[in-house]
Amino acid sequence: MNFAALRQRLFTYALALACVAPAAGQGPQPPLPTTRLSAGIHLITAEVAATDPGRMRGLMFRESLAPNHGMLFVFDQKAIHCMWMRNTLIPLSVAFIDDEGAIVNIEDMAPRTETSHCARRPVRFALEMEKGWFAKRGIGPGAKLTGLPRPR
């Protein structure tokens, strides 16, 4: 292999690594859009993870959440979606939410685990908040959230 071909191959590998590193949680990530939700009198600022890369990254590598902040996962299809906590550093509670905004079930999740936490019936949304956020406010299954995006 001549020098020019070797240099081109190394450039291609370096470019590929530069593209993969941010997806793996290394390096700066573009901010996700936010939305305002409400659960009765409680206001929530939620980052919206509505794409595969956003949903895959989720809240990984975060060391804290601001008060009343969380992440809303919006799925393309209504299904029994599951969440897990690989590379997530903070304990979270996840509420699985149906198309009408009703909470189906809430699961507490330990950091840095790969245990699956699943919706009890098909849903299109999951809202992650700091662990215990829902319980501290008396919000449980059947409670309604408003401000969710309309299903496509």
Side-chain angles (χ1 to χ4, degrees):
M1 180 180 306
N2 66 32
F3 179 76
L6 178 60
R7 186 175 65 176
Q8 180 62 38
R9 184 171 285 182
L10 287 174
F11 175 78
T12 302
Y13 289 138
L15 184 60
L17 283 174
C19 292
V20 170
Q26 302 167 9
Q29 300 291 318
L32 293 173
T34 61
T35 191
R36 296 284 287 188
L37 305 173
S38 62
I41 63 169
H42 305 285
L43 298 177
I44 301 162
T45 300
E47 293 178 59
V48 180
T51 64
D52 285 339
R55 288 187 294 261
M56 286 176 11
R57 182 178 69 218
L59 290 170
M60 289 194 311
F61 305 108
R62 306 272 181 100
E63 295 180 359
S64 64
L65 280 175
N68 299 316
H69 279 64
M71 181 164 288
L72 178 67
F73 293 81
V74 180
F75 299 100
D76 296 330
Q77 300 295 321
K78 190 172 166 179
I80 305 240
H81 295 286
C82 299
M83 310 297 281
W84 51 303
M85 298 282 285
R86 178 192 291 168
N87 298 321
T88 305
L89 309 177
I90 51 179
L92 299 171
S93 293
V94 60
F96 294 98
I97 306 161
D98 68 17
D99 284 353
E100 288 74 46
I103 295 176
V104 171
N105 61 296
I106 299 171
E107 303 292 327
D108 289 336
M109 304 186 295
R112 299 181 175 117
T113 60
E114 294 186 17
T115 304
S116 289
H117 303 273
C118 302
R120 292 197 180 131
R121 68 175 195 259
V123 298
R124 194 179 312 270
F125 305 102
L127 176 62
E128 290 182 340
M129 301 292 289
E130 71 175 278
K131 185 177 179 186
W133 188 93
F134 299 100
K136 288 176 190 170
R137 289 157 181 81
I139 299 169
K144 291 265 189 160
L145 274 76
T146 59
L148 294 168
R150 292 277 172 217
R152 298 181 219 156

